[in-house]
Amino acid sequence: MMASLASPSRAPPRGGDDGDASVVSCASIEIDDVVVREKVLEQIKNDHYHPSTFAPVHRNDSNEYSGMTMSKQQTLLWGSEPIGRARQCSVNSNNSTPTDMSPNNDTVGESSPRVTRVAADATPTSSKLGTFKGVFLPCLQNILGVILFLRLPWITSQAGVIQASGIVLLCATSTFVTALSLSALATNGQVQAGGPYYVVSRNLGHEVGGAIGVIFYLGTTIAASMYILGAIEALQTGFELKDSMGMGGGQTVILSLLLCFTLASIVAVGVKYVNMSAQTFLAIVLISIACLIFGCFLAAVGVFEGDLPHYNITTINETDGSEIWEMQSSVKGFDNVASNWTYDSSIGLTPNFLWCIGLFYPSVTGIMAGSNRSGVLMDAKKSIPTGTLSAIIVTTIIYLTVLWLYGCTLSDRTLKENKLVVTLAAWPHKVVVNLGIIMSCVGAGLQSLTGAPRLLSAIALDGTMPILAPFAASGASEPTKAVWLTWFIASLPCLAGNLDAITPIITMFFLLMYATVNLSCFLMTVLRAPGWRPTWKYFSWATALFGFLLCLTLMLLIDFKMALVSFVFALLLQFYIKKQQVTKDWGDSIAGIRFQVARDQLIALTDRSTFYHPKNWRPQLLVLCTLDENGNPLRPELLTLAAMLKKGRGLLMTMGLVKGDVRYEFTQSEIFTEVMRMHMKENGLEGFPRVLLYKENLAEAVAAALQATGCGALRPNSVIMGWPSWASDTYTEEQAATYINLVKSIVGCEKAVIILKNGAKLLSYMSTRALLTNTIDVWWIVHDGGLLLLLPHLLRLHKAWKGCRLRIFSVINEYTEQNESIEEFRSRIMMFLDEVRISAEVIPINLTSDELSGVTERMQDLSGNDMTGTIPLSKIYHGILQNRRGADITQQVETSKAGSPMKGLRGFEQGCPIVMSEQGTPSEQEMRPVKELDLEGAVLPQSESEGFDFMCGVARAFNVDMKKHSSQARLIVTNFPLMMNTVSPKHVVDFIELLTRDLGPTLLVRGSGKEVVTTFG
C-alpha cells in the first residue's frame, strides 16, 4: 500500500461552489519546529506578494462564463489581471525588491528576505526638486570644502602648478568615471535610503554591501572630523587666536570637541534646521571663492595686494661684496611652475606626489549627494547624471583656476609659509573669506553628521548586522542613537588636532567605496542580466573597469599599508556578516556571476567525456525519503548515511515522497521542502531538497523524476532508499510489487541502488560503537563495477568510521576450486585491491563446503532429483545475484594485461574487456526466464514455488554464514539480487528478509554496471 511508502495522502481543497480551488491554506499545517514554520510561512508570504508570482485563478460561485466581463474572463482563463489593472507593485531593478503601494505598507522588515521600504516617490510632485536644486547644489556643497581653502595653495607650492594640475585631474577622473557608473546604477532603479551603500549592497550582495557600507559610514564620519578641524584652524589662524588660551595644541583639541558636540546637538534636535541652512552656507562659500579669485587676480595686475606679506631678503653686491637688504613682495609671477618638495615641520615629513594625492582626494568626494536624494527628484533618471557630472566639471574648473592663479601669481615662499594665504589675497577684506571658510567647514560638517547616522540606520534596518540593530530608526523618526554614536566616533580623530593626519584615512575609505561602485556597474554590464536596463547610456564596461582599477591603484600607491588595513577591515566585516547567516533576496550580481560560471562550467563539463571516466566517478546521490504529515523524514538515518558519504565530493539531492495533487498542494510541498532543508542542515548536508507529489503510481513518478532530475553532468547516478519496515511482518503482494517496481524503475534509469536495511540500528550503533567490533564487512558475491568496494572506502573517510577495518568476504566459485587453492585466490584478490588502492582484509568463503550440505539436501528433496552434481550452490547464488553484465567478483571493465593478478579467472581468459552491450540492457536482462541466465547448462527448477524454495535455501545458508562472521560488524554491505520477472516481487522481498535476518545495519547495493574503480592512476 502507498501509505507505507509515503506520508498519508492529503485531500485537496474542494473547488467549484465551495471556494477557490487554487488557494491553499497553510494554517492547518503543523510543523514540529516553530522556527521552521515561521520561516517557511514568511517565505510563502513574501512569494505571494512578489511580482513574479502569478495571481490566483478566481471563479464565481455559479461557475459559469455567461455574463462575465472581459476582465473576469481574462482572470479565469489566464490567471492574472488585465493589463493596466494588475496589483500595483513597483520593482526596484537594483534589488528586485517589490515595493507595495498600499497605504499600510510603511515599514521596513528587519528579518524578511525581501525588505519592503517606503515608496521613494511618495513625496508630492509639487515639492519635488529639479536638477539644479536637487543634485547640482548638494554635490557642489559637498565637494567644495576645507581642502580648497587651506591646502590647495600649499600643494601647489610643493608640487608646482603642472604636477598639482595632474593631482587634481587624476582625482577628478576617478570621481568622473565613478559618476558614470553611479549614473547607470541610479537610472536602473530608484536609489533609496543609504545612497551608495544601497547601490552596492543591491548589486554586490548584502555581505559586500554591508562591509562597504560600514566603511563608507566611517569615511563620512571622519570627514566630519576633518571639516571641524578645518573650521578651528581657520578660526585660530584667520583671527589670530592660536594659543590664545595658553594651552598650546590642546586648545585646538578642546575647541574641536566643543564644535563637534554643538553640531551633533543641532543634528539631534532636527535635520530640518540643517536643510534650512544648507543653501545659506553654500552661498557664503561661493561668495568666498569669488572673493579669493578676484583678489588674487587684482594682485597679479598690481591693483590690490590685500594683506599679503613682504619679505626682507639679503643679496651680495658683486662689486664690493657688501650685503644689500631688499623688501620683496609676495607677488612673483610663475614661481611655482616646477615642483619644489620641501620639508614641512607641521606634518613632520617631506611630501611627494602620491602623498599630496592622499591629502587632496577628500576635496573631490561628495558626488553621492545627488543620488541620496533620488526620492525627492522630479526626474531622477535625468537629474542624477546631469547634476552630478556638472558638479564635478564645475568644481574641477574652480580647483584648476585657483591652482593656476595662485601658483602663477604668488611666490613659492608665500604659499608654503601661509596655509591660509587665500584670506590674505582676498578682496575686499580677508574677514569675508575667513568667515566663508568657517561657514564652509561648519556646513559640510553638519551635512556629514546628518548623512552618516542615516546611512548607519539604513544598514541597521536591512538586518544584516545584528550588532547595529539598536541604531535602526524606521519610518519618519530621527536616528537619535545613530547621531550620538556618530558624534562619539567623529570626536576621536579630533584628538589628533591636525587635519593632515586624518585625510589619508578618509581617502582610503572613499576610494574603496568608489571602487565597489565601479565594480558593481562592471559586473552588471558584463553579465547582461535582463533586469539591467539603465536609461543612462554614456558608460561601458571599459569605463567601469577603468574606474575600478584606477581607484585600487590610487589606494595602493598613496599608502600601501593603509590600503592593506582597509582591505583587511572590509574582509573582517564581510566575514562577520556572513557568519550571521542572513539571507537577502536582492537579486545581486554575485548571484548572477555564480549562475554564469556554473552555466559555463556545466556546459563544458557535459562536453568532456573524461568526466565519466572511472577515475572521475563520484557518487551523485539522490536520497528518497518518505515524509510524515509535517514534512519530516520518516527515515532520518538515510540523511545520516548520505552525510557519511559526503567525502565522495559528489552532488547530493533529496526527494521527499508525498502522495497528493500538484494542482492543489504545491504550496504545501514548498513548505515541506524547506523543512527538509532544515533537516539536511542539521545533518551537515549541502545539497538540493525537493518534494515530489504523486497521485497513484509511485514507481512511475520516481522514474519520471529520475529522468528529469539534474542538469547535464550533474545528474544523480546513485539512489539511496530505505528497506520497507513492513517486509518483516505480514504484507500484501501489492506492497511488494510497488516497492520492487520502484527499484526496477531506478535500475531501468541506469542508476545504482543503495538500500539501507535496519537503519535505526545504525544510529544506535553510532552512540554505542565501543560495544561492537570496528569492522565494515563486505560480502562480495558479484562484481558490480566496484561500487560495493568504493562505498565502504568512502565511509571510512568520515570521522565516525575512521578507525574501522574493512573486511571483504569473497565468494569462491567452482572454477577457482578446480584451478587454485584458497590462499592463491586470497593473494590475487589482495593484489587486485592493492592495484585499485583499497586497503582491506580478504576472507574467502567457499559455498560448496560441507557446512552448506544441508541446503543441497534440501534442494534435492524439493526437486526429487539429485542436483548436487549439476548445480553448484555458488552458481545458483550467482544466478540470483547476477548483475546486468553477468560479471562476478573476478571480472572488471579493463583489459587484462600480462601479469595481472586477475588473469586466468573467468572473464579474463580471452584478455579482452567485458562489453556492457553483450548482456543487454538491465530491463532486457531482468525480463529473461531463469533458464536463459548464464548458468552454463545448469538445470534449475521451472516452477515458481520450487524456484522460490531454492532461493530460500540459498538465503538461509548465506544468512548462517553472515551471522557467523559478521554478527558484530558495524555495517554489512552486500549485493542486491537480480529481480527477474519470473520471480514474484513477494519472493524477492522474502529472499532479502531471509538473507539479512537477525543482522545489523545492512547496505544492499546494486551497481549501475559502470566501472567506478580503476587500476589506472
Side-chain angles (χ1 to χ4, degrees), residues 939-954:
V939 180
L940 289 176
Q942 295 302 303
S943 67
E944 181 177 348
S945 60
E946 187 176 351
F948 175 62
D949 287 331
F950 277 112
M951 294 171 58
C952 292
V954 174

Side-chain angles (χ1 to χ4, degrees), residues 302-364:
V303 177
F304 174 80
E305 288 192 7
D307 292 330
L308 290 172
H310 291 73
Y311 301 99
N312 293 322
I313 61 172
T314 304
T315 59
I316 304 298
N317 191 331
E318 296 180 356
T319 304
D320 55 9
S322 60
E323 294 183 351
I324 302 175
W325 291 85
E326 295 182 1
M327 184 68 68
Q328 181 177 336
S329 172
S330 295
V331 179
K332 186 177 182 180
F334 302 101
D335 192 35
N336 297 284
V337 176
S339 61
N340 182 20
W341 306 107
T342 306
Y343 178 82
D344 192 305
S345 59
S346 63
I347 60 176
L349 53 83
T350 301
N352 54 34
F353 183 81
L354 296 176
W355 193 90
C356 287
I357 292 178
L359 177 63
F360 177 76
Y361 199 86
S363 65
V364 298

